[in-house]
PDB file of all heavy atoms in Angstrom:
ATOM      1  N   SER A  13     128.813  93.247 120.766  1.00  0.00           N
ATOM      2  CA  SER A  13     129.568  94.328 120.137  1.00  0.00           C
ATOM      3  C   SER A  13     128.884  94.873 118.883  1.00  0.00           C
ATOM      4  O   SER A  13     129.460  95.704 118.170  1.00  0.00           O
ATOM      5  CB  SER A  13     130.977  93.843 119.767  1.00  0.00           C
ATOM      6  OG  SER A  13     130.917  92.746 118.885  1.00  0.00           O
ATOM      7  N   LEU A  14     127.664  94.450 118.621  1.00  0.00           N
ATOM      8  CA  LEU A  14     126.979  94.836 117.397  1.00  0.00           C
ATOM      9  C   LEU A  14     126.565  96.305 117.436  1.00  0.00           C
ATOM     10  O   LEU A  14     126.109  96.817 118.459  1.00  0.00           O
ATOM     11  CB  LEU A  14     125.742  93.964 117.198  1.00  0.00           C
ATOM     12  CG  LEU A  14     125.220  93.777 115.760  1.00  0.00           C
ATOM     13  CD1 LEU A  14     126.303  93.191 114.866  1.00  0.00           C
ATOM     14  CD2 LEU A  14     123.992  92.883 115.772  1.00  0.00           C
ATOM     15  N   ARG A  15     126.735  96.974 116.308  1.00  0.00           N
ATOM     16  CA  ARG A  15     126.374  98.394 116.183  1.00  0.00           C
ATOM     17  C   ARG A  15     125.482  98.603 114.965  1.00  0.00           C
ATOM     18  O   ARG A  15     125.586  97.876 113.972  1.00  0.00           O
ATOM     19  CB  ARG A  15     127.643  99.260 116.054  1.00  0.00           C
ATOM     20  CG  ARG A  15     128.479  99.308 117.329  1.00  0.00           C
ATOM     21  CD  ARG A  15     129.785 100.057 117.123  1.00  0.00           C
ATOM     22  NE  ARG A  15     130.516 100.213 118.376  1.00  0.00           N
ATOM     23  CZ  ARG A  15     130.417 101.260 119.190  1.00  0.00           C
ATOM     24  NH1 ARG A  15     129.623 102.285 118.845  1.00  0.00           N
ATOM     25  NH2 ARG A  15     131.100 101.314 120.311  1.00  0.00           N
ATOM     26  N   LEU A  16     124.618  99.614 115.065  1.00  0.00           N
ATOM     27  CA  LEU A  16     123.687  99.938 113.989  1.00  0.00           C
ATOM     28  C   LEU A  16     124.121 101.251 113.347  1.00  0.00           C
ATOM     29  O   LEU A  16     124.315 102.257 114.040  1.00  0.00           O
ATOM     30  CB  LEU A  16     122.263 100.069 114.536  1.00  0.00           C
ATOM     31  CG  LEU A  16     121.146 100.324 113.526  1.00  0.00           C
ATOM     32  CD1 LEU A  16     120.996  99.136 112.591  1.00  0.00           C
ATOM     33  CD2 LEU A  16     119.826 100.593 114.261  1.00  0.00           C
ATOM     34  N   ALA A  17     124.273 101.248 112.033  1.00  0.00           N
ATOM     35  CA  ALA A  17     124.733 102.429 111.318  1.00  0.00           C
ATOM     36  C   ALA A  17     123.780 103.597 111.526  1.00  0.00           C
ATOM     37  O   ALA A  17     122.559 103.425 111.590  1.00  0.00           O
ATOM     38  CB  ALA A  17     124.863 102.121 109.831  1.00  0.00           C
ATOM     39  N   THR A  18     124.327 104.785 111.662  1.00  0.00           N
ATOM     40  CA  THR A  18     123.532 105.995 111.809  1.00  0.00           C
ATOM     41  C   THR A  18     123.629 106.821 110.523  1.00  0.00           C
ATOM     42  O   THR A  18     124.342 106.466 109.600  1.00  0.00           O
ATOM     43  CB  THR A  18     124.026 106.829 112.996  1.00  0.00           C
ATOM     44  OG1 THR A  18     125.426 107.123 112.819  1.00  0.00           O
ATOM     45  CG2 THR A  18     123.842 106.070 114.299  1.00  0.00           C
ATOM     46  N   GLY A  19     122.921 107.920 110.485  1.00  0.00           N
ATOM     47  CA  GLY A  19     122.928 108.746 109.288  1.00  0.00           C
ATOM     48  C   GLY A  19     121.653 108.546 108.499  1.00  0.00           C
ATOM     49  O   GLY A  19     120.707 107.896 108.961  1.00  0.00           O
ATOM     50  N   PRO A  20     121.593 109.087 107.282  1.00  0.00           N
ATOM     51  CA  PRO A  20     120.394 108.959 106.449  1.00  0.00           C
ATOM     52  C   PRO A  20     120.003 107.506 106.254  1.00  0.00           C
ATOM     53  O   PRO A  20     120.856 106.644 106.009  1.00  0.00           O
ATOM     54  CB  PRO A  20     120.822 109.612 105.121  1.00  0.00           C
ATOM     55  CG  PRO A  20     121.934 110.536 105.498  1.00  0.00           C
ATOM     56  CD  PRO A  20     122.661 109.861 106.621  1.00  0.00           C
ATOM     57  N   ALA A  21     118.711 107.227 106.385  1.00  0.00           N
ATOM     58  CA  ALA A  21     118.234 105.851 106.242  1.00  0.00           C
ATOM     59  C   ALA A  21     118.385 105.375 104.806  1.00  0.00           C
ATOM     60  O   ALA A  21     118.188 106.125 103.853  1.00  0.00           O
ATOM     61  CB  ALA A  21     116.772 105.767 106.665  1.00  0.00           C
ATOM     62  N   THR A  22     118.771 104.129 104.651  1.00  0.00           N
ATOM     63  CA  THR A  22     118.821 103.519 103.330  1.00  0.00           C
ATOM     64  C   THR A  22     117.803 102.395 103.275  1.00  0.00           C
ATOM     65  O   THR A  22     117.696 101.584 104.212  1.00  0.00           O
ATOM     66  CB  THR A  22     120.221 102.978 102.998  1.00  0.00           C
ATOM     67  OG1 THR A  22     120.158 102.278 101.734  1.00  0.00           O
ATOM     68  CG2 THR A  22     120.732 102.032 104.064  1.00  0.00           C
ATOM     69  N   TYR A  23     117.039 102.356 102.204  1.00  0.00           N
ATOM     70  CA  TYR A  23     115.982 101.362 102.062  1.00  0.00           C
ATOM     71  C   TYR A  23     116.274 100.403 100.920  1.00  0.00           C
ATOM     72  O   TYR A  23     115.356  99.806 100.347  1.00  0.00           O
ATOM     73  CB  TYR A  23     114.645 102.060 101.830  1.00  0.00           C
ATOM     74  CG  TYR A  23     114.235 102.955 102.980  1.00  0.00           C
ATOM     75  CD1 TYR A  23     114.433 104.323 102.936  1.00  0.00           C
ATOM     76  CD2 TYR A  23     113.658 102.404 104.126  1.00  0.00           C
ATOM     77  CE1 TYR A  23     114.070 105.136 103.997  1.00  0.00           C
ATOM     78  CE2 TYR A  23     113.290 103.211 105.185  1.00  0.00           C
ATOM     79  CZ  TYR A  23     113.499 104.573 105.120  1.00  0.00           C
ATOM     80  OH  TYR A  23     113.141 105.371 106.188  1.00  0.00           O
ATOM     81  N   ALA A  24     117.560 100.249 100.605  1.00  0.00           N
ATOM     82  CA  ALA A  24     117.941  99.354  99.517  1.00  0.00           C
ATOM     83  C   ALA A  24     117.441  97.931  99.757  1.00  0.00           C
ATOM     84  O   ALA A  24     117.154  97.202  98.798  1.00  0.00           O
ATOM     85  CB  ALA A  24     119.463  99.355  99.348  1.00  0.00           C
ATOM     86  N   PHE A  25     117.314  97.549 101.019  1.00  0.00           N
ATOM     87  CA  PHE A  25     116.876  96.190 101.353  1.00  0.00           C
ATOM     88  C   PHE A  25     115.447  95.913 100.862  1.00  0.00           C
ATOM     89  O   PHE A  25     115.038  94.754 100.763  1.00  0.00           O
ATOM     90  CB  PHE A  25     116.951  95.966 102.870  1.00  0.00           C
ATOM     91  CG  PHE A  25     116.085  96.888 103.674  1.00  0.00           C
ATOM     92  CD1 PHE A  25     114.756  96.603 103.915  1.00  0.00           C
ATOM     93  CD2 PHE A  25     116.609  98.063 104.197  1.00  0.00           C
ATOM     94  CE1 PHE A  25     113.957  97.464 104.655  1.00  0.00           C
ATOM     95  CE2 PHE A  25     115.825  98.936 104.943  1.00  0.00           C
ATOM     96  CZ  PHE A  25     114.488  98.636 105.167  1.00  0.00           C
ATOM     97  N   SER A  26     114.674  96.961 100.577  1.00  0.00           N
ATOM     98  CA  SER A  26     113.277  96.772 100.171  1.00  0.00           C
ATOM     99  C   SER A  26     113.057  97.077  98.692  1.00  0.00           C
ATOM    100  O   SER A  26     111.906  97.156  98.252  1.00  0.00           O
ATOM    101  CB  SER A  26     112.363  97.668 101.015  1.00  0.00           C
ATOM    102  OG  SER A  26     112.639  99.033 100.787  1.00  0.00           O
ATOM    103  N   ARG A  27     114.116  97.220  97.928  1.00  0.00           N
ATOM    104  CA  ARG A  27     113.986  97.634  96.531  1.00  0.00           C
ATOM    105  C   ARG A  27     113.234  96.606  95.697  1.00  0.00           C
ATOM    106  O   ARG A  27     112.615  96.947  94.689  1.00  0.00           O
ATOM    107  CB  ARG A  27     115.371  97.893  95.931  1.00  0.00           C
ATOM    108  CG  ARG A  27     115.329  98.549  94.548  1.00  0.00           C
ATOM    109  CD  ARG A  27     116.724  98.742  93.974  1.00  0.00           C
ATOM    110  NE  ARG A  27     117.500  99.665  94.784  1.00  0.00           N
ATOM    111  CZ  ARG A  27     118.749  99.465  95.172  1.00  0.00           C
ATOM    112  NH1 ARG A  27     119.358  98.328  94.854  1.00  0.00           N
ATOM    113  NH2 ARG A  27     119.396 100.356  95.879  1.00  0.00           N
ATOM    114  N   THR A  28     113.291  95.338  96.075  1.00  0.00           N
ATOM    115  CA  THR A  28     112.659  94.290  95.267  1.00  0.00           C
ATOM    116  C   THR A  28     111.359  93.768  95.879  1.00  0.00           C
ATOM    117  O   THR A  28     110.898  92.680  95.552  1.00  0.00           O
ATOM    118  CB  THR A  28     113.625  93.110  95.070  1.00  0.00           C
ATOM    119  OG1 THR A  28     113.998  92.577  96.344  1.00  0.00           O
ATOM    120  CG2 THR A  28     114.873  93.551  94.320  1.00  0.00           C
ATOM    121  N   VAL A  29     110.747  94.563  96.749  1.00  0.00           N
ATOM    122  CA  VAL A  29     109.478  94.168  97.380  1.00  0.00           C
ATOM    123  C   VAL A  29     108.367  95.062  96.836  1.00  0.00           C
ATOM    124  O   VAL A  29     108.425  96.280  96.985  1.00  0.00           O
ATOM    125  CB  VAL A  29     109.556  94.305  98.915  1.00  0.00           C
ATOM    126  CG1 VAL A  29     108.224  93.936  99.539  1.00  0.00           C
ATOM    127  CG2 VAL A  29     110.661  93.417  99.468  1.00  0.00           C
ATOM    128  N   ASN A  30     107.367  94.481  96.182  1.00  0.00           N
ATOM    129  CA  ASN A  30     106.333  95.321  95.568  1.00  0.00           C
ATOM    130  C   ASN A  30     105.069  95.459  96.422  1.00  0.00           C
ATOM    131  O   ASN A  30     104.121  96.129  96.013  1.00  0.00           O
ATOM    132  CB  ASN A  30     105.973  94.809  94.170  1.00  0.00           C
ATOM    133  CG  ASN A  30     105.125  93.550  94.206  1.00  0.00           C
ATOM    134  OD1 ASN A  30     105.139  92.810  95.180  1.00  0.00           O
ATOM    135  ND2 ASN A  30     104.390  93.308  93.138  1.00  0.00           N
ATOM    136  N   SER A  31     105.062  94.867  97.610  1.00  0.00           N
ATOM    137  CA  SER A  31     103.961  95.071  98.554  1.00  0.00           C
ATOM    138  C   SER A  31     104.438  94.657  99.944  1.00  0.00           C
ATOM    139  O   SER A  31     105.301  93.781 100.074  1.00  0.00           O
ATOM    140  CB  SER A  31     102.726  94.257  98.162  1.00  0.00           C
ATOM    141  OG  SER A  31     102.963  92.870  98.291  1.00  0.00           O
ATOM    142  N   VAL A  32     103.868  95.309 100.964  1.00  0.00           N
ATOM    143  CA  VAL A  32     104.204  94.959 102.346  1.00  0.00           C
ATOM    144  C   VAL A  32     102.940  95.047 103.196  1.00  0.00           C
ATOM    145  O   VAL A  32     102.005  95.787 102.865  1.00  0.00           O
ATOM    146  CB  VAL A  32     105.289  95.890 102.944  1.00  0.00           C
ATOM    147  CG1 VAL A  32     106.606  95.722 102.221  1.00  0.00           C
ATOM    148  CG2 VAL A  32     104.841  97.334 102.934  1.00  0.00           C
ATOM    149  N   PRO A  33     102.889  94.303 104.301  1.00  0.00           N
ATOM    150  CA  PRO A  33     101.736  94.375 105.197  1.00  0.00           C
ATOM    151  C   PRO A  33     101.557  95.774 105.785  1.00  0.00           C
ATOM    152  O   PRO A  33     102.517  96.535 105.934  1.00  0.00           O
ATOM    153  CB  PRO A  33     102.090  93.355 106.287  1.00  0.00           C
ATOM    154  CG  PRO A  33     103.051  92.418 105.642  1.00  0.00           C
ATOM    155  CD  PRO A  33     103.860  93.270 104.719  1.00  0.00           C
ATOM    156  N   LEU A  34     100.322  96.077 106.130  1.00  0.00           N
ATOM    157  CA  LEU A  34      99.972  97.368 106.711  1.00  0.00           C
ATOM    158  C   LEU A  34      99.090  97.132 107.919  1.00  0.00           C
ATOM    159  O   LEU A  34      98.269  96.213 107.927  1.00  0.00           O
ATOM    160  CB  LEU A  34      99.216  98.213 105.678  1.00  0.00           C
ATOM    161  CG  LEU A  34      99.028  99.693 105.997  1.00  0.00           C
ATOM    162  CD1 LEU A  34     100.347 100.441 105.780  1.00  0.00           C
ATOM    163  CD2 LEU A  34      97.940 100.297 105.110  1.00  0.00           C
ATOM    164  N   VAL A  35      99.250  97.951 108.954  1.00  0.00           N
ATOM    165  CA  VAL A  35      98.375  97.858 110.125  1.00  0.00           C
ATOM    166  C   VAL A  35      97.360  98.996 110.071  1.00  0.00           C
ATOM    167  O   VAL A  35      97.576 100.025 109.421  1.00  0.00           O
ATOM    168  CB  VAL A  35      99.172  97.901 111.450  1.00  0.00           C
ATOM    169  CG1 VAL A  35     100.037  96.648 111.578  1.00  0.00           C
ATOM    170  CG2 VAL A  35     100.027  99.164 111.551  1.00  0.00           C
ATOM    171  N   VAL A  36      96.241  98.810 110.770  1.00  0.00           N
ATOM    172  CA  VAL A  36      95.130  99.759 110.652  1.00  0.00           C
ATOM    173  C   VAL A  36      95.505 101.165 111.096  1.00  0.00           C
ATOM    174  O   VAL A  36      94.946 102.144 110.584  1.00  0.00           O
ATOM    175  CB  VAL A  36      93.904  99.261 111.442  1.00  0.00           C
ATOM    176  CG1 VAL A  36      93.281  98.051 110.759  1.00  0.00           C
ATOM    177  CG2 VAL A  36      94.266  98.940 112.886  1.00  0.00           C
ATOM    178  N   ALA A  37      96.443 101.293 112.028  1.00  0.00           N
ATOM    179  CA  ALA A  37      96.848 102.615 112.491  1.00  0.00           C
ATOM    180  C   ALA A  37      97.479 103.437 111.378  1.00  0.00           C
ATOM    181  O   ALA A  37      97.584 104.669 111.492  1.00  0.00           O
ATOM    182  CB  ALA A  37      97.834 102.482 113.653  1.00  0.00           C
TER     183      ALA A  37
END
């Protein structure tokens, strides 16, 4: 029964991350 919220994306979950992995593409 799980649903994923729609609408404008929120990136609050990444507010405290100062670097993330990157792929060559």
